[in-house]
Every structure is written in structure tokens, then in C-alpha cells.
Amino acid sequence: MNDEHYMHIAIQLAIDSVQTGKGGPFGAIIVRNGLILGKGQNRVLIDKDPTAHAEVVAIRDACRQLDHFQLEGCTIYTSCEPCPMCLGAIYWARPERIVFGCTKEDASAIAFDDAFIYEELDKSLSDRQLPTSQILREECLKAFRLWQNKADRESY
């Protein structure tokens, strides 16, 4: 099977998402060694969950199938270039590669515009639209120190 074959599956998931009213026009699958390990459709509306993007749903599905929190050796096929949240989740999952269809500009043209998030990330905390403040750092560092000194921790 080739990339086009798997992308057609992701595209059909995106189309089904629109036709069933589950969410936006996005679909994703995760493949390793020719086996589809995870599938995801945008479920933001049906789950009432802003993180239920197709890529995140597919990552959760594949990780459950693998009984592991990372996707080594996997390819993520997604009908659209991942948004900043999904891209972050993908990097944390550590797949081998990403293959996508529509661009972020295509998504922006139909009112799925993530440009403001990219712009916000480049701003200092005090200049962001969402008020952000830092408090109790020293107390929070206690958990970090416990983690750092935990002999049996599993790094990820």
C-alpha cells in the first residue's frame, strides 16, 4: 500500500465527519507496517471537546491499540496540515512521519484559522490576548524535584 491509499482513508473519514455532523472536515489515521492502528475524525461538536481533533483522536486510538504512549515507526495520515495543538501532540507521540492533504491556508479559507495561535506563541506573556500569569513556582518545583529524583520513573 502507498501513501495515496492511506490518505484516501483519512479523506473519507473527513467526509464522513461532515456528513454525520460529528465535527469539522478532518480525518486522520495512524499506520505502522501496513496496519491501521488508529483512526480519528473531528469530534469537537459531538464530544463537546475542543481537543477532539482528528489527529488527537487517532493518536489516542493508536496508543490504546499499542498499549504504549508513543508511536515509533508509525506514519500519521491527516486530511489537513495539523493545527498547533495537533502538531504538538504529534511531536509528543514521536511518529516516524506525517503526511497531510489540505494546507493550513486551505483550512483558513473555510474559517478554521489557527494563525492567531502561531502569532500568540511568538508574543511575550504580557502581550498575549489571553491573560497569563505565573504564581507559586517554588511550590510547583516540588513535584518536578520529586520526578527528577524518582529512581523508577519512565521517561517520555
Side-chain angles (χ1 to χ4, degrees):
M1 309 269 175
N2 61 21
D3 287 343
E4 288 81 12
H5 169 78
Y6 295 117
M7 184 58 80
H8 281 293
I9 296 169
I11 293 166
Q12 190 58 53
L13 286 169
I15 291 168
D16 291 347
S17 181
V18 173
Q19 291 176 334
T20 60
K22 291 180 181 174
F26 305 98
I29 63 170
I30 297 174
V31 177
R32 183 168 72 184
N33 298 327
L35 181 65
I36 297 173
L37 299 174
K39 292 181 179 182
Q41 293 173 293
N42 182 283
R43 296 186 52 88
V44 169
L45 298 177
I46 198 164
D47 289 352
K48 298 182 180 30
D49 177 356
T51 69
H53 291 197
E55 297 91 338
V56 172
V57 172
I59 288 168
R60 291 172 180 164
D61 188 27
C63 287
R64 277 191 299 272
Q65 295 299 320
L66 292 170
D67 194 29
H68 198 264
F69 55 86
Q70 292 186 333
L71 301 172
E72 292 95 353
C74 294
T75 299
I76 296 179
Y77 295 89
T78 179
S79 62
C80 187
E81 186 175 359
C83 74
M85 177 189 70
C86 291
L87 190 58
I90 290 167
Y91 270 92
W92 281 118
R94 293 181 174 86
E96 188 172 293
R97 64 192 188 112
I98 304 168
V99 178
F100 69 90
C102 294
T103 66
K104 59 186 176 187
E105 291 80 17
D106 296 327
S108 177
I110 60 165
F112 289 95
D113 189 2
D114 300 321
F116 80 97
I117 296 174
Y118 291 107
E119 292 166 8
E120 286 289 291
L121 291 173
D122 284 336
K123 295 178 181 177
S124 67
L125 294 180
S126 63
D127 290 332
R128 291 183 182 171
Q129 290 181 26
L130 181 62
T132 305
S133 57
Q134 179 186 25
I135 64 169
L136 301 176
R137 178 175 177 260
E138 288 304 315
E139 288 185 46
C140 292
L141 283 172
K142 290 176 187 176
F144 280 24
R145 289 185 195 107
L146 282 172
W147 174 257
Q148 188 175 27
N149 294 325
K150 185 175 171 58
D152 62 343
R153 74 175 183 255
E154 184 176 358
S155 295
Y156 56 95

